[in-house]
Amino acid sequence: MPTVSTREKIIEKADTLFYEGGFEATSFADIAAAVGISRGNFYHHFKAKDEILDAVIARRMDRTRMMLDTWQAEGAQPRDRILSFIHLLITNRTRIMAFGCPVGTLCSELAKLEHGAQHRAAQIMGLFRDWLTGQFRALGMDQQAEARAMHLLTWSQGVAVMSSAFRDETFIEREVAAITQWLDDIIDDQTRHEGRICS
Amino acid sequence: MPTVSTREKIIEKADTLFYEGGFEATSFADIAAAVGISRGNFYHHFKAKDEILDAVIARRMDRTRMMLDTWQAEGAQPRDRILSFIHLLITNRTRIMAFGCPVGTLCSELAKLEHGAQHRAAQIMGLFRDWLTGQFRALGMDQQAEARAMHLLTWSQGVAVMSSAFRDETFIEREVAAITQWLDDIIDDQTRHEGRICS
DNA sequence: GTCTATATGCAGATAGAC
DNA sequence: GTCTATCTGCATATAGAC
């Protein structure tokens, strides 16, 4: 029977605490208290704080891949799949306003700490970039697919930063509407362009 | 003779260290070493770490106001002034790639720390928002002035996060070109709109 | 695998000499 | 106004009993 191991519980709690309080500001004691184990027991599972960070990043990579796979399977059209990504801003708006984007803020923090795991954290962002690039490519935007994926990611990261700075929920809603409008505009352009080539 | 006081030196060094290493990760010892004074002397000037943060935020507010005033005086047209803002991304690209945006990353960090100074840090962002709103208003975009200021700020914050995550200098250059294009497009739209009303 | 007890170091902060 | 010496607490990390 695969009950949740202590190791997995540690990773799960550390993931949440790193997101909500930051990596540097989260202590072993915080994680141990959240899991309900002693500090000493901690070192049976992880030799150093950096090892937990590695495990948390690996967990986030796995969960991101699973989420992207779900969106891929559930979305009938590339547009629907891209909308799944955009609507993360709505679904997670309360947490985003309080703590920002989990990926963006981790990358920013590790950059300042000059932490070795910085590159691995950026790979989570890379998963989104590559998946979104695939969606725009499926829409026939071969040349501009990656640039548009990067634009959408950039816009989302900006919304996360600004909404947490100003604590404005309506801002997120307005921006999501604007992003959706942008998406439909470039899809319209693409459709017209293909029509012109065919005729 | 107004030589730079020790207090001012502390604020200046703390400003840099908070930006490059983060507020939480920067210790009194770090600042004292950078200034060249002992830790004990520190407390003659600041009673607590939070007081230094307050002073750093106040300094950043002052310097931001001065910068905006300079842009206001030097730019002949609102478009030129907005371009001054956009080109911050180019001027500071090396530091932005390494440490992100000083304002955005401070807001993000203080949000996670649930720090009381969070609101004051967001006021720096507010200075940019209000100034940019004034520029768009001067372009005749009364209704949409603030939304466009927020869009420009959001985009810039996104570029800062993404360029530091991927460490890509060419990305900043491409985005600045795209932002400039966006600016000229909405100015064109505005000009045509005014023409239509007058004719 | 989990615990208690503990080592070591550095953080923020204070007292008091010069 | 600057220093040295010191306090207290919490951080990461280890040792070893159960």
Side-chain angles (χ1 to χ4, degrees), chain B residues 162-177:
Chain B
M162 296 295 286
S163 69
S164 101
F166 289 128
R167 305 255 160 186
D168 185 348
E169 191 163 335
T170 64
F171 171 73
I172 296 187
E173 285 155 14
R174 285 196 307 271
E175 288 296 303
V176 165

Side-chain angles (χ1 to χ4, degrees), chain B residues 164-193:
Chain B
S164 101
F166 289 128
R167 305 255 160 186
D168 185 348
E169 191 163 335
T170 64
F171 171 73
I172 296 187
E173 285 155 14
R174 285 196 307 271
E175 288 296 303
V176 165
I179 295 172
T180 307
Q181 185 62 55
W182 166 81
L183 176 64
D184 285 335
D185 284 350
I186 61 172
I187 290 176
D188 270 10
D189 277 0
Q190 179 67 20
T191 310
R192 268 198 296 274
H193 183 67

Side-chain angles (χ1 to χ4, degrees), chain A residues 3-52:
Chain A
T3 55
V4 180
S5 68
T6 301
R7 186 190 156 86
E8 282 173 293
K9 273 191 245 173
I10 291 173
I11 298 170
E12 187 190 326
K13 292 293 185 185
D15 192 345
T16 304
L17 290 169
F18 287 173
Y19 172 40
E20 297 183 354
F23 169 69
E24 178 86 2
T26 301
S27 71
F28 277 25
D30 294 333
I31 305 172
V35 176
I37 59 169
S38 70
R39 268 164 297 159
N41 187 5
F42 217 103
Y43 289 84
H44 177 72
H45 300 281
F46 296 96
K47 284 175 192 163
K49 199 181 179 185
D50 287 351
E51 282 189 19
I52 310 176

Side-chain angles (χ1 to χ4, degrees), chain A residues 7 10-12 14-15 18 23 28 31 42 45-63 65 106 110 115-124:
Chain A
R7 186 190 156 86
I10 291 173
I11 298 170
E12 187 190 326
D15 192 345
F18 287 173
F23 169 69
F28 277 25
I31 305 172
F42 217 103
H45 300 281
F46 296 96
K47 284 175 192 163
K49 199 181 179 185
D50 287 351
E51 282 189 19
I52 310 176
L53 179 60
D54 284 345
V56 166
I57 292 175
R59 175 190 152 95
R60 291 193 186 180
M61 290 276 284
D62 286 345
R63 293 171 66 91
R65 281 197 197 92
L106 182 63
L110 296 182
H115 196 291
Q118 195 184 342
H119 182 252
R120 254 161 294 148
Q123 285 177 337
I124 309 177

